[in-house]
Amino acid sequence: MTATLPITTGLAATSPRVRQRPLTEEAVFIRRSIIHSLRTPDQLIMAIVLPTILMLLFTYVFGGAIQSDGGYVDYVVPGIILLCAGYGAASTAVDVANDMTAGIIDRFRTMPMRASAVITGHVVASLLRNLVATAVVIGVGIAVGFRPEASLGGWIGVAGLVALYILVITFLFAAIGLAASSPDSANGYGFILMFLPYVSSAFVPVDTMPTWLRWIAEHQPLTPIIETIRGLLLGTGIHGTDSWWALGWCALILAAGVVWSGWLFRRKAGRR
């Protein structure tokens, strides 16, 4: 007597497994992106070296002219932290653009998985990579004279806000990588955002700027984020509504980055 086996398609056969383990695809792509980071450590090295050089430059070259008592390093480190996150997240735009142009998405679409999980992999790997880079930069700052006075709660608040900012800026860079026509153009578009910290309170107080520029610096997203981190690290407290503005800007930009990247991925991957 011969038993008759049901015939199932590849998608139908694997779909129960996918439903039972909904994060399997994301875990695979996170691992893939982390392995790429380990095999190409240049991105992590540059994310540490460039902000560190800027911190040393501003501390030892410009710091004496800006604040002669030697305490300028305490002022500049919070801005360098965000600059470090920006440099590290910028590589995400190039990585995403490379995936979109190298044909790997075509192969993912032939498998019973959410190909869009590749974006999640890039974002989470960037978050982990940049948290490491940020910790190193803070350590270098302490070595050159940075003396934070944050309480345990302050350090937790700084860690949470920095992680949130890295998540926000990484999703934004991922969307830029999807919008770009090539990895080179993605690198160029991302580089433009690197100038945003310079027009903020990262390196000098905004009240020292010309009136028209001061208005821009006061109302752009990075200033309240930097001021919140500075207040928590130095133990001086958070002024006014800076923390609420920081969280509000992060939520708004994160929502825009997630929606924009999702729309671009569906639009571009759907053509393949």
Side-chain angles (χ1 to χ4, degrees):
M1 184 175 183
T2 304
T4 303
L5 297 177
I7 300 175
T8 58
T9 64
L11 180 59
T14 56
S15 56
R17 177 177 61 84
V18 172
R19 285 196 296 269
Q20 292 172 7
R21 300 175 64 186
L23 297 180
T24 300
E25 294 88 345
E26 282 75 8
V28 169
F29 282 111
I30 291 170
R31 181 174 179 271
R32 169 181 177 261
S33 296
I34 291 175
I35 290 175
H36 283 181
S37 297
L38 294 176
R39 290 178 177 174
T40 55
D42 298 354
Q43 295 177 352
L44 179 61
I45 292 173
M46 293 305 293
I48 296 172
V49 170
L50 287 178
T52 299
I53 290 175
L54 283 174
M55 178 168 57
L56 297 176
L57 178 67
F58 275 91
T59 300
Y60 291 115
V61 178
F62 304 129
I66 297 173
Q67 192 171 341
S68 59
D69 61 0
Y72 180 66
V73 65
D74 290 333
Y75 183 89
V76 78
V77 165
I80 294 295
I81 290 174
L82 261 64
L83 199 65
C84 173
Y87 276 120
S91 62
T92 304
V94 178
D95 293 338
V96 170
N98 187 62
D99 277 349
M100 295 302 294
T101 57
I104 191 67
I105 301 299
D106 294 331
R107 302 177 66 179
F108 293 154
R109 283 176 58 81
T110 64
M111 303 176 186
M113 63 171 58
R114 292 180 297 277
S116 60
V118 67
I119 304 299
T120 303
H122 283 302
V123 169
V124 174
S126 175
L127 175 61
L128 297 176
R129 184 173 63 241
N130 288 310
L131 285 175
V132 172
T134 300
V136 173
V137 167
I138 293 176
V140 173
I142 292 174
V144 299
F146 177 54
R147 294 296 179 264
E149 298 183 6
S151 62
L152 177 60
W155 279 109
I156 294 173
V158 169
L161 184 55
V162 169
L164 176 61
Y165 175 75
I166 293 173
L167 185 67
V168 167
I169 197 70
T170 303
F171 259 111
L172 188 58
F173 276 116
I176 291 174
L178 288 166
S181 58
S182 68
D184 290 337
S185 59
N187 187 45
Y189 295 145
F191 186 74
I192 296 174
L193 291 180
M194 295 295 98
F195 288 98
L196 198 59
Y198 297 96
V199 190
S200 70
S201 63
F203 301 106
V204 295
V206 296
D207 56 12
T208 64
M209 301 178 183
T211 303
W212 63 272
L213 188 59
R214 181 169 60 213
W215 187 91
I216 296 174
E218 288 176 345
H219 295 87
Q220 66 124 311
L222 293 191
T223 294
I225 298 175
I226 292 170
E227 290 301 319
T228 300
I229 293 174
R230 183 174 287 129
L232 291 172
L233 282 177
L234 300 182
T236 57
I238 302 172
H239 301 291
T241 57
D242 281 342
S243 60
W244 293 109
W245 278 108
L247 294 175
W249 274 116
C250 285
L252 179 62
I253 299 173
L254 178 61
V258 170
V259 172
W260 188 25
S261 61
W263 178 78
L264 285 171
F265 186 87
R266 290 190 298 270
R267 178 170 172 266
K268 288 198 168 185
R271 295 176 179 176
R272 298 174 180 271

